[in-house]
Amino acid sequence: SNISRIGNSAFAGCTGVTEFVFDYHIRELADYIFYNCTNLSRLVFHGSAPEFSVNTFYTVTATVEYPTADPTWTAEKRQNYNGNLTWLDGGSDGDDMSGSCGENLTWTLGDDGVLVISGTGPMAEIDYVMEGDSGYWAAPWRIFQDNITSVVIESGVTTIEGRAFLGCNYATQISIPDTVESIGYQVFGAGVETITVDEDNAYFCTEDGLLLDKAKTTLYCYPGQKQGAEYRLPGTVTKLRYDSVMSAYLRKLTIPAGVQEIEENAFAAAAAALEEVVFEGNAPDSGGMEIFRELRLTAYYPEGNETWTEEVMQMFGADVIWVPYEQIISEGYCGPELTWKLTSSGIMTISGIGEMNDFDTMMRPPEWKHDAAKVKEVIIEEGVTYVGSYAFFADYINLTRISLPDS
C-alpha cells in the first residue's frame, strides 16, 4: 500500500478487527481511528514512527509491535494516546526482519545478511520522507540497510524501483531475475561489486561487470566497487543514465564515439576518484544539464571537432579542465613500407622508408580519398623517397600546406 495517512474514526466500530498492520508508508495517524473496535488486540508497525494524534488509540486495549532498531521509535513516541497499549520489546521486525514491498511482493532479511524479494508484479514506489530540514528515501528495509550484504530478487518481480538499495552500502552482490522489465534511477549503493542478470532476461544483461540493457546500448550501472583504474566503455554503448558511473577506483574513463547521450549527474558523487575522461567522438547530448556535477577532473575532446563548443564544455561541468587532443580519424598503408594517418586537426602524416604507391582517379584512388576535404596539412617524413601519382589530386579543398623531406 502507498497510504501514508489515516483520518479520524476511519475504522471506528469495526468490531470484527482483531489485528491491524501499519505498512512502512504510514506517516500520520488522526484521532479515534479504532474507536469502539472492541476485539482489536494487536497493532503492528513496519516502518518509522508516524505522527500520532492525542486520541489516536482512544478506547483501544492492545499490544504494539514496532521495529526497535529504528531510532525514530523514541520513548516519547511510545505513549498510550488515550488507549491502553503495551509496547513490546523486540518489535515487529526485531526477529523476522520482513514485510511487504509491493502489492504482491514481500521482502525478508535473513541472519546471513541476504535480502530476498519475492512474489509477482512491480515493486512499490520508494517514498521520500522529510524530517525537519532533511529527509531520506524510505525503502521498507531501510532500518536494516547496514545489515544487508547481498540482494536476491526472485523470478516474478517485474520492476526495481529507484533508490531501492541506495543506502545499502554493504550490499556487494545484486541478483536480477529473468522477469525484471524496468529499473529506476539511483537503485544501487556504493558497495556493489557484482551484478548478475539471469540470461533469460529480455531487457537487461551484464558485460564485464557493467549493468546494461539487453542491446548493450544503455549503461545502467558501473558498480562502485568494480576494480580497475582505467576503462573504455563498450563500443555498443550510446547512452549513460543518471547516476550510472559509481566506481570508487576508476581514474580514467574513455567514452567511445558512439555515445550520443549522457544524462544529468551521470558521474555520481561516488565517482569522486575520477580524474580523466576521454571523449572519442562528438559532444553527447546532456539535455542542457551538468554531467560532471561537483567533480574536478580533466576532460579530453577531439581537436577540430566543431560540436565541442565553449558553451557545451561549460554546461557539462564548471570545475572541469578541457584539453583538446589530436585524434586519429583514419589510417592505413600507402606503400610496401609506408603508413599514413589523418588526425582530427586535419594533419596527414606519411611515415616509413621507400616509395609511395601510384594511384589513379578511378580504379585505384588512395585510401584517404574519402577524407580529402578534412586534410589541411600533409607532412611527408624523412625516409619517404617518392610521392605517388594522383596522391593528392583534386578534392583537397582545405589543403594549404605540404612538407617534403630531404629524402
Side-chain angles (χ1 to χ4, degrees):
S1 169
N2 287 323
I3 294 173
S4 60
R5 298 172 60 246
I6 299 178
N8 287 357
S9 304
F11 302 104
C14 294
T15 56
V17 175
T18 60
E19 175 182 307
F20 197 93
V21 178
F22 297 92
D23 205 350
Y24 62 92
H25 286 96
I26 292 295
R27 307 307 313 147
E28 184 179 342
L29 300 176
D31 289 317
Y32 311 113
I33 290 176
F34 302 110
Y35 174 70
N36 209 25
C37 292
T38 54
N39 290 306
L40 180 60
S41 61
R42 183 175 182 240
L43 301 169
V44 180
F45 287 91
H46 278 301
S48 298
E51 292 298 319
F52 295 100
S53 299
V54 174
N55 295 302
T56 293
F57 297 120
Y58 184 73
T59 75
V60 174
T61 299
T63 59
V64 184
E65 301 171 36
Y66 66 99
T68 55
D70 190 327
T72 65
W73 286 99
T74 62
E76 183 180 357
K77 285 286 187 180
R78 301 194 305 275
Q79 303 297 317
N80 281 327
Y81 303 102
N82 274 326
N84 182 19
L85 306 181
T86 302
W87 293 85
L88 298 182
D89 188 22
S92 62
D93 293 313
D95 296 321
D96 58 5
M97 294 183 289
S98 62
S100 64
C101 54
E103 185 174 353
N104 295 305
L105 298 184
T106 59
W107 64 274
T108 301
L109 177 61
D111 293 336
D112 56 358
V114 180
L115 175 66
V116 179
I117 299 172
S118 57
T120 57
M123 189 181 292
E125 183 178 348
I126 308 298
D127 294 333
Y128 188 75
V129 177
M130 289 296 300
E131 285 191 352
D133 295 331
S134 61
Y136 57 87
W137 292 101
W141 40 80
R142 183 187 68 86
I143 61 174
F144 306 111
Q145 62 190 19
D146 288 348
N147 298 325
I148 298 172
T149 58
S150 64
V151 177
V152 176
I153 304 170
E154 295 188 342
S155 184
V157 179
T158 58
T159 69
I160 303 175
E161 284 298 312
R163 291 92 182 182
F165 314 114
L166 182 61
C168 302
N169 292 323
Y170 298 101
T172 60
Q173 297 179 318
I174 309 290
S175 176
I176 299 174
D178 58 329
T179 52
V180 167
E181 301 173 1
S182 71
I183 298 176
Y185 289 107
Q186 290 185 298
V187 167
F188 307 105
V192 174
E193 297 175 3
T194 306
I195 301 173
T196 59
V197 179
D198 190 290
E199 63 181 11
D200 292 329
N201 189 293
Y203 299 90
F204 301 99
C205 69
T206 57
E207 178 179 315
D208 197 22
L210 308 180
L211 176 62
L212 305 161
D213 69 326
K214 195 68 171 182
K216 300 182 180 180
T217 59
T218 301
L219 176 66
Y220 277 75
C221 184
Y222 187 118
Q225 299 302 309
K226 176 177 168 58
Q227 301 292 313
E230 296 187 11
Y231 191 78
R232 184 182 186 275
L233 292 175
T236 56
V237 173
T238 62
K239 177 180 178 180
L240 276 62
R241 292 227 317 171
Y242 181 98
D243 218 24
S244 56
V245 180
M246 303 180 66
S247 175
Y249 297 93
L250 188 63
R251 298 291 185 270
K252 180 179 180 180
L253 178 66
T254 299
I255 299 177
V259 173
Q260 303 169 11
E261 181 181 357
I262 299 179
E263 292 188 345
E264 176 188 8
N265 203 29
F267 303 88
L274 194 61
E275 297 173 353
E276 295 180 295
V277 175
V278 179
F279 291 92
E280 294 186 337
N282 293 342
D285 180 12
S286 70
M289 308 300 289
E290 281 188 278
I291 61 173
F292 295 124
R293 183 179 300 164
E294 298 181 0
L295 293 180
R296 297 180 181 273
L297 50 79
T298 301
Y300 300 87
Y301 64 97
E303 186 175 27
N305 187 312
E306 296 179 354
T307 66
W308 287 100
T309 64
E310 289 294 332
E311 181 182 6
V312 166
M313 290 186 279
Q314 183 65 27
M315 178 178 59
F316 277 13
D319 297 321
V320 176
I321 298 172
W322 291 94
V323 179
Y325 72 94
E326 286 196 342
Q327 181 186 37
I328 298 175
I329 59 175
S330 55
E331 60 185 332
Y333 291 91
C334 57
E337 296 184 40
L338 299 186
T339 61
W340 66 275
K341 66 180 179 180
L342 176 62
T343 68
S344 55
S345 61
I347 298 176
M348 174 179 284
T349 304
I350 298 174
S351 308
I353 299 175
E355 296 187 352
M356 188 186 298
N357 294 331
D358 283 322
F359 307 100
D360 60 44
T361 59
M362 299 294 293
M363 301 301 295
R364 194 185 177 200
E367 290 181 355
W368 55 76
K369 184 71 173 179
H370 63 282
D371 286 322
K374 298 178 182 178
V375 179
K376 299 177 182 178
E377 179 180 355
V378 174
I379 300 174
I380 301 176
E381 294 186 339
E382 190 68 28
V384 179
T385 59
Y386 172 71
V387 178
S389 302
Y390 295 96
F392 303 102
F393 178 80
D395 299 325
Y396 295 85
I397 57 176
N398 294 308
L399 179 57
T400 60
R401 182 174 180 178
I402 300 174
S403 299
L404 298 175
D406 290 340
S407 57

